[in-house]
Amino acid sequence: MRRPSCLEPTETGNEAAHRYVASLLGWFAEVLADWPRQDSDDLLSLLARFADDVAARLTLPE
């Protein structure tokens, strides 16, 4: 038996994923709403740096 090499979500699954992401983004926006602008900018910068470093690490040969 062969395993699939590429999976695609159904339309229902795709819609559910979008609702979940929208819910998370709304929750985070509420949490950060009272933060000073500089603090939220710093967080965004650090998260972008973290994501870049993780992506770079994932492309390194084992």
mmCIF file of all heavy atoms in Angstrom, residues 19-37:
data_model
loop_
_atom_site.group_PDB
_atom_site.id
_atom_site.type_symbol
_atom_site.label_atom_id
_atom_site.label_comp_id
_atom_site.label_asym_id
_atom_site.label_seq_id
_atom_site.Cartn_x
_atom_site.Cartn_y
_atom_site.Cartn_z
ATOM 1 N N ARG A 19 -11.155 29.890 9.799
ATOM 2 C CA ARG A 19 -11.858 30.380 10.996
ATOM 3 C C ARG A 19 -10.963 30.292 12.227
ATOM 4 O O ARG A 19 -10.947 31.197 13.057
ATOM 5 C CB ARG A 19 -13.145 29.580 11.225
ATOM 6 C CG ARG A 19 -14.283 29.950 10.308
ATOM 7 C CD ARG A 19 -15.609 29.360 10.765
ATOM 8 N NE ARG A 19 -15.567 27.935 11.050
ATOM 9 C CZ ARG A 19 -15.714 26.966 10.142
ATOM 10 N NH1 ARG A 19 -15.941 27.274 8.875
ATOM 11 N NH2 ARG A 19 -15.659 25.697 10.497
ATOM 12 N N TYR A 20 -10.219 29.205 12.345
ATOM 13 C CA TYR A 20 -9.321 29.024 13.491
ATOM 14 C C TYR A 20 -8.245 30.101 13.511
ATOM 15 O O TYR A 20 -7.978 30.720 14.547
ATOM 16 C CB TYR A 20 -8.698 27.625 13.440
ATOM 17 C CG TYR A 20 -7.730 27.359 14.546
ATOM 18 C CD1 TYR A 20 -8.166 27.202 15.857
ATOM 19 C CD2 TYR A 20 -6.358 27.272 14.297
ATOM 20 C CE1 TYR A 20 -7.268 26.964 16.886
ATOM 21 C CE2 TYR A 20 -5.464 27.038 15.318
ATOM 22 C CZ TYR A 20 -5.923 26.880 16.604
ATOM 23 O OH TYR A 20 -5.030 26.648 17.627
ATOM 24 N N VAL A 21 -7.619 30.352 12.363
ATOM 25 C CA VAL A 21 -6.577 31.382 12.279
ATOM 26 C C VAL A 21 -7.160 32.754 12.592
ATOM 27 O O VAL A 21 -6.570 33.534 13.342
ATOM 28 C CB VAL A 21 -5.889 31.360 10.895
ATOM 29 C CG1 VAL A 21 -5.003 32.578 10.699
ATOM 30 C CG2 VAL A 21 -5.078 30.082 10.729
ATOM 31 N N ALA A 22 -8.339 33.059 12.051
ATOM 32 C CA ALA A 22 -8.980 34.352 12.330
ATOM 33 C C ALA A 22 -9.269 34.499 13.816
ATOM 34 O O ALA A 22 -9.076 35.581 14.397
ATOM 35 C CB ALA A 22 -10.264 34.490 11.515
ATOM 36 N N SER A 23 -9.698 33.424 14.441
ATOM 37 C CA SER A 23 -9.972 33.446 15.876
ATOM 38 C C SER A 23 -8.696 33.709 16.672
ATOM 39 O O SER A 23 -8.678 34.531 17.599
ATOM 40 C CB SER A 23 -10.596 32.109 16.297
ATOM 41 O OG SER A 23 -10.741 32.047 17.691
ATOM 42 N N LEU A 24 -7.618 33.033 16.323
ATOM 43 C CA LEU A 24 -6.339 33.247 17.006
ATOM 44 C C LEU A 24 -5.830 34.670 16.824
ATOM 45 O O LEU A 24 -5.382 35.299 17.780
ATOM 46 C CB LEU A 24 -5.282 32.277 16.473
ATOM 47 C CG LEU A 24 -5.292 30.870 17.008
ATOM 48 C CD1 LEU A 24 -4.199 30.046 16.331
ATOM 49 C CD2 LEU A 24 -5.120 30.838 18.497
ATOM 50 N N LEU A 25 -5.908 35.170 15.602
ATOM 51 C CA LEU A 25 -5.438 36.522 15.337
ATOM 52 C C LEU A 25 -6.255 37.550 16.117
ATOM 53 O O LEU A 25 -5.702 38.505 16.658
ATOM 54 C CB LEU A 25 -5.476 36.827 13.837
ATOM 55 C CG LEU A 25 -4.475 36.051 12.992
ATOM 56 C CD1 LEU A 25 -4.687 36.372 11.510
ATOM 57 C CD2 LEU A 25 -3.048 36.328 13.414
ATOM 58 N N GLY A 26 -7.556 37.331 16.198
ATOM 59 C CA GLY A 26 -8.401 38.226 16.990
ATOM 60 C C GLY A 26 -8.037 38.189 18.461
ATOM 61 O O GLY A 26 -7.975 39.223 19.128
ATOM 62 N N TRP A 27 -7.776 36.985 18.968
ATOM 63 C CA TRP A 27 -7.401 36.834 20.378
ATOM 64 C C TRP A 27 -6.085 37.547 20.663
ATOM 65 O O TRP A 27 -5.976 38.282 21.645
ATOM 66 C CB TRP A 27 -7.306 35.343 20.707
ATOM 67 C CG TRP A 27 -7.078 35.068 22.150
ATOM 68 C CD1 TRP A 27 -8.024 34.984 23.127
ATOM 69 C CD2 TRP A 27 -5.817 34.836 22.793
ATOM 70 N NE1 TRP A 27 -7.415 34.717 24.333
ATOM 71 C CE2 TRP A 27 -6.069 34.624 24.163
ATOM 72 C CE3 TRP A 27 -4.502 34.799 22.339
ATOM 73 C CZ2 TRP A 27 -5.060 34.365 25.077
ATOM 74 C CZ3 TRP A 27 -3.499 34.552 23.261
ATOM 75 C CH2 TRP A 27 -3.779 34.333 24.601
ATOM 76 N N PHE A 28 -5.092 37.347 19.806
ATOM 77 C CA PHE A 28 -3.800 38.015 20.002
ATOM 78 C C PHE A 28 -3.939 39.531 19.889
ATOM 79 O O PHE A 28 -3.305 40.276 20.638
ATOM 80 C CB PHE A 28 -2.749 37.505 19.014
ATOM 81 C CG PHE A 28 -2.162 36.170 19.401
ATOM 82 C CD1 PHE A 28 -2.386 35.054 18.620
ATOM 83 C CD2 PHE A 28 -1.405 36.037 20.549
ATOM 84 C CE1 PHE A 28 -1.846 33.822 18.986
ATOM 85 C CE2 PHE A 28 -0.867 34.811 20.928
ATOM 86 C CZ PHE A 28 -1.093 33.706 20.137
ATOM 87 N N ALA A 29 -4.763 40.002 18.967
ATOM 88 C CA ALA A 29 -4.980 41.444 18.830
ATOM 89 C C ALA A 29 -5.572 42.016 20.116
ATOM 90 O O ALA A 29 -5.182 43.112 20.550
ATOM 91 C CB ALA A 29 -5.888 41.731 17.638
ATOM 92 N N GLU A 30 -6.488 41.298 20.729
ATOM 93 C CA GLU A 30 -7.070 41.750 21.998
ATOM 94 C C GLU A 30 -6.018 41.794 23.096
ATOM 95 O O GLU A 30 -5.982 42.742 23.894
ATOM 96 C CB GLU A 30 -8.215 40.839 22.413
ATOM 97 C CG GLU A 30 -9.458 40.987 21.580
ATOM 98 C CD GLU A 30 -10.549 39.998 21.973
ATOM 99 O OE1 GLU A 30 -10.478 39.432 23.077
ATOM 100 O OE2 GLU A 30 -11.473 39.801 21.160
ATOM 101 N N VAL A 31 -5.178 40.783 23.166
ATOM 102 C CA VAL A 31 -4.133 40.735 24.190
ATOM 103 C C VAL A 31 -3.174 41.913 24.036
ATOM 104 O O VAL A 31 -2.770 42.537 25.019
ATOM 105 C CB VAL A 31 -3.355 39.394 24.121
ATOM 106 C CG1 VAL A 31 -2.108 39.436 24.986
ATOM 107 C CG2 VAL A 31 -4.253 38.232 24.529
ATOM 108 N N LEU A 32 -2.831 42.248 22.802
ATOM 109 C CA LEU A 32 -1.846 43.291 22.543
ATOM 110 C C LEU A 32 -2.449 44.697 22.472
ATOM 111 O O LEU A 32 -1.696 45.676 22.371
ATOM 112 C CB LEU A 32 -1.111 42.991 21.227
ATOM 113 C CG LEU A 32 -0.312 41.686 21.203
ATOM 114 C CD1 LEU A 32 0.229 41.431 19.806
ATOM 115 C CD2 LEU A 32 0.797 41.710 22.229
ATOM 116 N N ALA A 33 -3.750 44.810 22.546
ATOM 117 C CA ALA A 33 -4.421 46.097 22.342
ATOM 118 C C ALA A 33 -3.931 47.188 23.294
ATOM 119 O O ALA A 33 -3.851 48.358 22.906
ATOM 120 C CB ALA A 33 -5.926 45.926 22.471
ATOM 121 N N ASP A 34 -3.594 46.832 24.506
ATOM 122 C CA ASP A 34 -3.174 47.834 25.496
ATOM 123 C C ASP A 34 -1.656 48.013 25.573
ATOM 124 O O ASP A 34 -1.173 48.791 26.389
ATOM 125 C CB ASP A 34 -3.714 47.472 26.883
ATOM 126 C CG ASP A 34 -5.233 47.526 26.939
ATOM 127 O OD1 ASP A 34 -5.822 48.347 26.194
ATOM 128 O OD2 ASP A 34 -5.831 46.760 27.709
ATOM 129 N N TRP A 35 -0.922 47.289 24.747
ATOM 130 C CA TRP A 35 0.531 47.421 24.754
ATOM 131 C C TRP A 35 0.934 48.732 24.088
ATOM 132 O O TRP A 35 0.315 49.150 23.099
ATOM 133 C CB TRP A 35 1.165 46.285 23.973
ATOM 134 C CG TRP A 35 1.245 44.969 24.687
ATOM 135 C CD1 TRP A 35 0.376 44.468 25.600
ATOM 136 C CD2 TRP A 35 2.233 43.972 24.500
ATOM 137 N NE1 TRP A 35 0.766 43.218 25.991
ATOM 138 C CE2 TRP A 35 1.899 42.890 25.335
ATOM 139 C CE3 TRP A 35 3.362 43.883 23.699
ATOM 140 C CZ2 TRP A 35 2.678 41.734 25.399
ATOM 141 C CZ3 TRP A 35 4.131 42.732 23.760
ATOM 142 C CH2 TRP A 35 3.795 41.678 24.606
ATOM 143 N N PRO A 36 1.994 49.357 24.596
ATOM 144 C CA PRO A 36 2.533 50.524 23.878
ATOM 145 C C PRO A 36 2.992 50.120 22.475
ATOM 146 O O PRO A 36 3.428 48.987 22.254
ATOM 147 C CB PRO A 36 3.735 50.951 24.724
ATOM 148 C CG PRO A 36 3.516 50.335 26.059
ATOM 149 C CD PRO A 36 2.738 49.079 25.820
ATOM 150 N N ARG A 37 2.896 51.037 21.538
ATOM 151 C CA ARG A 37 3.245 50.758 20.145
ATOM 152 C C ARG A 37 4.664 50.193 20.024
ATOM 153 O O ARG A 37 4.905 49.246 19.272
ATOM 154 C CB ARG A 37 3.095 52.051 19.318
ATOM 155 C CG ARG A 37 3.480 51.936 17.870
ATOM 156 C CD ARG A 37 2.584 50.943 17.164
ATOM 157 N NE ARG A 37 3.039 50.711 15.819
ATOM 158 C CZ ARG A 37 2.281 50.874 14.751
ATOM 159 N NH1 ARG A 37 1.035 51.241 14.876
ATOM 160 N NH2 ARG A 37 2.772 50.647 13.566
#
